[in-house]
Amino acid sequence: MRSLAIEKYCKPQDYEILDLPVPEIKSADELLIKVHAGSINPVDVKVATGAMKTFWPVPMPLKLGHDLSGTVIAVGSDVPGHFKPGTEVYSRSPEYCSGTVSEYALSTASTTALKPSSLSHIQAAAIPLASLTALQALDAADKNIDGGLKGKKVLIPGGLSGTGSIAIQLAKNVFGASKVITTLSTAKAAKAESLLGEGVVDQIIDYTKNDMAAVIPRGSVDFMFDTMGQALASLHLIKKGGMIVSVSSLPFGSDLKDLAPNMPAIIRWTLNSIGAVSKYRARRYGVDYSCLFMRPSAADLTRLSGWIEEGKLKPVVGRVTGLENLKEIREGCEEVLSGKGGTGKFVIKIGAISHGGGA
Ligand SMILES: NC(=O)c1ccc[n+]([C@@H]2O[C@H](COP(=O)([O-])OP(=O)(O)OC[C@H]3O[C@@H](n4cnc5c(N)ncnc54)[C@H](OP(=O)(O)O)[C@@H]3O)[C@@H](O)[C@H]2O)c1
């Protein structure tokens, strides 16, 4: 089968389409899926550079991608009956099943859900990782902030990033936040309403012209979802009793126990120490600071599907190309790696899509 893959750590300019074996079901909870579309997340391209190889080594050749939308081909003996050959699903596959930008990929029942019928495969492939991240961050805030997020003011920088575009919609349309503030570059501000929905964003700060830390009144924000590594520079904006959940700062070493069991103790200790200092600095403002590492979850994907079907949530798809367009794939992955310029998610279409919607 054709697969977007690398044979050694490299940047997107050296990505290849390799001919690799179709994966085989080896565990009772696995599904083999014919992939119609896969999407690229920052983690895919960062891991591929080798920048994290000391604590997160990956086997080569490495098939890229963790998000997919496709059709079930075969199931293991313990897979629940609602997944059968022919069922249309979407998934954030577990780490060991990496390789969703391939004609076929494995995932597990505990990380896969029925594809929302209102979405095409291209749209559905844009959902899993970024949306699970956003949902789990908002869940943490809703649970920990007094009275939950209903009626609260939230700050979600990067309003048309993969994670930010979903978090904004969930905050307003699902968790009932009263005010959503975001940051965007100049050209993107004009697109926000059409891509996220009317009245979903209350305040847009053009971060290329203004520093949000100077524009937003001190102590006025209940919750910040830190998508752009700005948590510690924003502590003064958060109310006492408020919270910051970061997905873009260095994680705690203890959060990486499952992902990187062989992480050298010194690196784990250093990460824990940096995290402890950040927590201490936040506490001095009366703010709860934590880092989040997204957990793949079929249950959370199913919750997301429900809100999609209710019209409360829609994916923001930016670039789309096909598996046959290696040049465009490399360009799109380079954009994701740079963290600059992209809108929403970069999706790669695989093969002809026969049912379940087109683009
Ligand atoms: N811990 C986890 O489990 C987890 C999960 C998902 C993502 N992440 C991390 O979270 C971060 C965000 O991920 P993502 O998928 O949302 O990223 P993304 O979609 O690749 O974000 C890039 C977008 O951010 C905009 N941007 C860049 N700098 C900005 C700034 N200073 N203020 C506002 N917007 C800015 C860019 O547009 P312009 O250049 O036009 O501004 C572009 O649209 C990444 O570091 C990723 O690795 C972590």
Side-chain angles (χ1 to χ4, degrees), residues 46 133 162-163 183 185 188 207 227-228 247 292 294 339-342:
K46 288 181 190 172
T133 307
T163 53
T183 57
S185 53
K188 291 207 169 101
Y207 79 90
T227 58
M228 297 291 148
V247 290
L292 180 133
M294 185 275 324
K340 284 289 174 195

Side-chain angles (χ1 to χ4, degrees), residues 7-247:
E7 293 183 283
K8 58 180 183 348
Y9 291 113
C10 62
K11 294 210 168 148
Q13 69 211 31
D14 293 323
Y15 290 1
E16 292 295 347
I17 304 297
L18 299 182
D19 188 11
L20 295 171
V22 174
E24 286 173 21
I25 291 181
K26 295 213 170 88
S27 300
D29 64 339
E30 288 174 351
L31 306 94
L32 178 63
I33 297 162
K34 181 173 168 50
V35 183
H36 299 310
S39 74
I40 297 290
N41 290 284
V43 67
D44 301 316
V45 290
K46 288 181 190 172
V47 166
T49 64
M52 296 181 243
K53 67 182 172 193
T54 29
F55 59 92
W56 187 348
V58 287
M60 295 290 167
L62 174 68
K63 293 183 284 176
L64 299 175
H66 290 88
D67 280 348
L68 66 77
S69 181
T71 304
V72 174
I73 295 291
V75 295
S77 55
D78 270 359
V79 167
H82 59 278
F83 296 127
K84 301 181 192 60
T87 308
E88 303 207 310
V89 294
Y90 69 150
S91 184
R92 190 290 187 184
S93 66
E95 286 308 320
Y96 82 94
C97 298
S98 150
T100 57
V101 186
S102 302
E103 288 176 303
Y104 297 88
L106 284 180
S107 194
T108 57
S110 59
T111 58
T112 302
L114 301 180
K115 178 181 85 67
S117 57
S118 58
L119 296 187
S120 67
H121 283 291
I122 287 172
Q123 291 172 312
I127 291 284
L129 190 151
S131 306
L132 290 168
T133 307
L135 174 59
Q136 290 167 10
L138 290 164
D139 273 342
D142 197 50
K143 191 167 138 210
N144 289 316
I145 291 176
D146 200 17
L149 283 174
K150 198 169 171 45
K152 299 292 189 335
K153 286 188 188 153
V154 305
L155 169 60
I156 302 173
L160 289 177
S161 65
T163 53
S165 60
I166 296 293
I168 282 177
Q169 297 176 69
L170 289 175
K172 194 52 150 320
N173 300 340
V174 173
F175 287 87
S178 60
K179 179 166 183 179
V180 175
I181 308 167
T182 194
T183 57
L184 288 169
S185 53
T186 313
K188 291 207 169 101
K191 298 185 199 164
E193 192 164 275
S194 66
L195 293 173
L196 301 174
E198 203 180 327
V200 175
V201 179
D202 300 284
Q203 184 180 359
I204 297 173
I205 298 166
D206 179 345
Y207 79 90
T208 66
K209 297 191 178 136
N210 298 298
D211 178 3
M212 70 174 187
V215 173
I216 300 169
R218 288 181 78 89
S220 64
V221 171
D222 295 281
F223 171 60
M224 176 183 185
F225 176 41
D226 176 33
T227 58
M228 297 291 148
Q230 298 161 313
L232 296 180
S234 310
L235 286 170
H236 63 288
L237 305 179
I238 313 298
K239 279 183 192 163
K240 262 195 169 104
M243 184 174 187
I244 301 179
V245 174
S246 181
V247 290

